[in-house]
Amino acid sequence: MSEPKKYTDSGMEIKPVYGKEDTQGLQDEKPGQFPFTRGVQPNMYRGKLWTMRQYAGFSTAEESNKRYHYLLSQGVSGLSVAFDLPTQIGYDSDHPLAEGEVGKTGVAIDSLEDMQVLFSGIKLEDVSTSMTINATGFILLALYAALARQQGADLKKLNGTIQNDILKEYAARGTYIYPPKPSMRIITDIYEWCSREMPKWNTISISGYHIREAGSTAAQEIAFTLSNGKAYVQAALKRGLDINVFGRRLSFFFNAHNNLFEEVAKFRAARKMWAQIMKGLGATDPKAMMLRFHTQTGGSTLTAQQPQNNIARVTIQTLAAVLGGTQSLHTNGFDEALSLPTEEAARIALRTQQIVAFESGVADTADPLAGSYYTENLTHEMEKAATLLMEKIDAMGGSVAAIEQGFIQNEIAKSAYEYQRKIENGEKIIVGMNRFQLEEEETLPLLKINDQVRQAQAERLARFRNSRDKAKCDQLLQLLSDKASSAENIMPVVLEAVENKCTLGEIADTLREIFGEYK
């Protein structure tokens, strides 16, 4: 009887054994050299380890600030800020639509005062900060810059990233405000402003993470992400920006799932493909062709059943990200299928990275899986599958058109359905969920967010609004409206507005009146 065939999660057939014949045409590439399949640095982690981030932000700015100080004391080398839903979609905490959501999925930020509290006791020049924010990314960037100026920091020295990837919101996540075209205009405004004012800041983190969380395969994750990246580059070129300047400040954000070798192949293929895309679009500086990326372990892979099993899953995903050459990494807490991570879960997640970094040996040499017949063949197959998808998107007129036509959303939905079907019929084994279950589950202590958070935020907002020059705020919001109606860059007036105590919701609403809302 012949043995059943095996496939990766992207549907690529896996042979029982691989040999030399499976790596025909393999180029003898070096890390740190075009097309960067083997990594963006010649010596990778021997020179500098990846940045160890922990994604944190919940409840009030005070509570999140305590967690940041704790994480910094435990050896975190970069902060990663999660924002609540009202902040993400441009509503102040006292807005009727914010009810029930303030401080739940992240920290509530309405004003410069909240930002001051969030980073109290932390010098912005000394940390690298990643902010997971998209539709209101331009406002959070302005708030961060305003706080840095208050601290006396040199904006040109600030390090960090705003996610600022609106296309994947339309395709996979849903926290958009404005239609695609004005949203793309805001993103190019940010590129242009940062290239002058904050040259070390990563102006976008083109995100495959949420595409994967929505149910895509690994091959779809890189195809859709790189297509979105291409659209952002083309928009910047249309604005007349220099690809060799803004190209160096693009970064990516990927997911790491449990299929170790498929994930490593995905990261290697993505680097090679992006280098070739950028070269094709006119980049000549090698640094503008490098795909630098942050990784987060897969939230959708975590199970509420036997949650301690998630520690093993996160370890495999950490190895995949590091063997794949990530530049920074966030590891999920084992309890995140149930709630925001407790302090203990966040510490174990960070220790997982530290054990991989200092005890496993995987950081001792660049691209340690290079030359493996299986890894090299899988990298090639991944590139082939993702390229085919990208060609389909190009034929439709690029990412924006493919999203408007629903193509990307439908492809993700089909993959998500197929994966769920396999779990339900037992074809895909999830330990502790559809196999090896327990009769009774032990209960874990969970992090609960107090419903009084909204009231506290609303009271702070009222005091904040009473302490400002209202006429000046109205004047600046009118100026923002004028700039948005013209083709002028809105970033300078947004910065001035937050410095003069305009709130996030007021700025977002001013642009809603000009650009409309995407339904």
Side-chain angles (χ1 to χ4, degrees):
M1 197 176 89
S2 65
E3 63 176 63
K5 289 183 173 181
K6 287 200 174 286
Y7 298 89
T8 70
D9 290 340
S10 290
M12 295 165 197
E13 190 176 342
I14 304 168
K15 291 167 39 169
V17 159
Y18 287 78
K20 243 184 212 160
E21 68 280 3
D22 297 299
T23 58
Q24 292 303 312
L26 176 66
Q27 302 297 309
D28 183 24
E29 293 177 14
K30 299 278 186 286
Q33 290 178 16
F34 183 88
F36 310 107
T37 314
R38 300 195 56 198
V40 294
Q41 301 297 340
N43 60 350
M44 282 308 288
Y45 305 127
R46 285 174 72 125
K48 180 178 179 278
L49 283 173
W50 63 93
T51 301
M52 296 183 197
R53 296 189 188 279
Q54 281 308 105
Y55 189 43
F58 57 93
S59 184
T60 59
E62 287 89 347
E63 287 301 314
S64 295
N65 177 259
K66 280 182 207 162
R67 178 67 66 91
Y68 294 154
H69 280 285
Y70 170 74
L71 290 169
L72 289 166
S73 76
Q74 294 298 307
V76 154
S77 45
L79 298 174
S80 191
V81 188
F83 297 95
D84 73 357
L85 204 52
T87 304
Q88 291 179 49
I89 53 175
Y91 293 119
D92 287 333
S93 296
D94 58 358
H95 192 284
L97 289 176
E99 192 164 352
E101 291 295 340
V102 176
K104 292 286 170 73
T105 59
V107 64
I109 298 292
D110 299 315
S111 68
L112 184 53
E113 184 183 355
D114 288 333
M115 211 65 163
Q116 289 161 345
V117 175
L118 186 66
F119 290 102
S120 175
I122 298 167
K123 282 185 70 181
L124 299 190
E125 263 191 29
D126 296 344
V127 291
S128 163
T129 304
S130 169
M131 295 191 277
T132 304
I133 195 76
N134 297 283
T136 54
F138 67 104
I139 308 173
L140 270 300
L141 179 63
L143 286 164
Y144 194 84
L147 177 60
R149 294 215 297 206
Q150 281 187 350
Q151 288 185 356
D154 179 355
L155 294 192
K156 290 186 165 53
K157 289 182 182 167
L158 294 183
N159 274 305
T161 307
I162 41 169
Q163 192 164 97
N164 197 28
D165 174 6
I166 204 66
L167 291 178
K168 68 94 179 47
E169 294 295 328
Y170 302 117
R173 193 160 169 268
T175 63
Y176 43 73
I177 303 174
Y178 316 112
K181 288 188 173 69
S183 294
M184 292 292 278
R185 173 257 172 101
I186 293 171
I187 287 168
T188 47
D189 281 0
I190 293 168
Y191 288 170
E192 191 175 57
W193 184 78
C194 281
S195 65
R196 288 194 312 268
E197 306 295 331
M198 291 172 71
K200 283 187 165 184
W201 193 265
N202 296 320
T203 46
I204 193 166
S205 175
I206 304 154
S207 174
Y209 184 84
H210 304 95
I211 288 169
R212 193 68 179 280
E213 288 293 284
S216 82
T217 65
Q220 287 172 332
E221 181 187 352
I222 57 172
F224 300 155
T225 307
L226 299 187
S227 284
N228 288 349
K230 198 170 165 183
Y232 292 127
V233 171
Q234 286 165 333
L237 289 171
K238 211 179 269 183
R239 177 70 71 91
L241 302 182
D242 183 345
I243 193 168
N244 288 319
V245 176
F246 74 81
R248 294 165 69 122
R249 298 270 51 97
L250 302 176
S251 69
F252 287 80
F253 173 26
F254 289 119
N255 210 314
H257 276 218
N258 292 326
N259 193 318
L260 180 72
F261 293 99
E262 182 176 43
E263 293 300 296
V264 173
K266 175 188 82 179
F267 297 131
R268 297 173 93 246
R271 257 195 307 270
K272 182 179 183 182
M273 290 171 70
W274 185 247
Q276 290 165 334
I277 288 165
M278 288 297 273
K279 193 174 187 180
L281 290 168
T284 52
D285 181 342
K287 284 207 163 119
M289 302 178 209
M290 287 178 184
L291 181 141
R292 297 166 304 116
F293 66 98
H294 168 69
T295 310
Q296 182 175 339
T297 56
S300 61
T301 68
L302 304 179
T303 62
Q305 300 86 352
Q306 301 175 38
Q308 288 88 346
N309 294 348
N310 295 327
I311 298 171
R313 292 186 178 100
V314 168
T315 305
I316 292 167
Q317 294 163 11
T318 301
L319 280 168
V322 172
L323 289 166
T326 194
Q327 276 57 67
S328 87
L329 177 61
H330 161 79
T331 34
N332 287 334
F334 69 86
D335 55 1
E336 286 189 57
L338 298 160
S339 74
L340 289 167
T342 57
E343 207 166 87
E344 183 198 19
R347 184 176 65 248
I348 291 170
L350 175 60
R351 293 289 180 259
T352 303
Q353 291 200 52
Q354 291 165 335
I355 290 166
V356 167
F358 299 108
E359 297 184 31
S360 73
V362 297
D364 293 345
T365 187
D367 194 21
L369 289 183
S372 144
Y373 300 137
Y374 181 39
T375 303
E376 295 295 358
N377 180 273
L378 210 47
T379 301
H380 176 69
E381 290 299 314
M382 185 65 70
E383 183 189 352
K384 212 161 73 178
T387 301
L388 267 174
L389 266 173
M390 288 189 75
E391 284 168 354
K392 279 188 189 173
I393 291 166
D394 285 344
M396 291 176 190
S399 258
V400 176
I403 287 165
E404 286 172 344
Q405 291 169 44
F407 171 75
I408 291 176
Q409 300 92 311
N410 289 339
E411 290 294 300
I412 295 169
K414 281 190 279 191
S415 296
Y417 172 78
E418 187 55 26
Y419 189 75
Q420 189 59 33
R421 189 189 63 76
K422 285 178 179 170
I423 290 173
E424 286 177 14
N425 70 17
E427 217 177 310
K428 178 86 186 160
I429 295 168
I430 308 294
V431 174
M433 190 168 94
N434 64 357
R435 283 278 285 278
F436 316 111
Q437 294 107 318
L438 289 176
E439 285 292 317
E440 274 187 55
E441 295 274 343
E442 61 176 299
T443 54
L444 284 177
L446 302 177
L447 182 67
K448 291 270 192 282
I449 302 302
N450 189 321
D451 282 328
Q452 265 73 62
V453 169
R454 182 171 189 249
Q455 192 183 333
Q457 276 296 110
E459 286 167 5
R460 177 188 281 171
L461 256 176
R463 288 193 301 272
F464 181 77
R465 289 196 186 107
N466 286 336
S467 70
R468 64 188 186 174
D469 179 342
K470 188 168 182 313
K472 179 74 176 168
C473 284
D474 291 345
Q475 183 193 339
L476 286 165
L477 292 171
Q478 183 55 53
L479 183 60
L480 172 61
S481 180
D482 297 343
K483 301 270 186 203
S485 302
S486 73
E488 280 185 80
N489 195 310
I490 64 168
M491 281 306 293
V493 68
V494 173
L495 178 58
E496 196 182 348
V498 299
E499 287 183 323
N500 282 277
K501 300 191 173 183
C502 292
T503 68
L504 172 128
E506 290 164 346
I507 292 167
D509 281 346
T510 299
L511 296 185
R512 275 186 178 94
E513 285 172 23
I514 303 300
F515 299 144
E517 285 191 84
Y518 184 69
K519 299 286 189 228

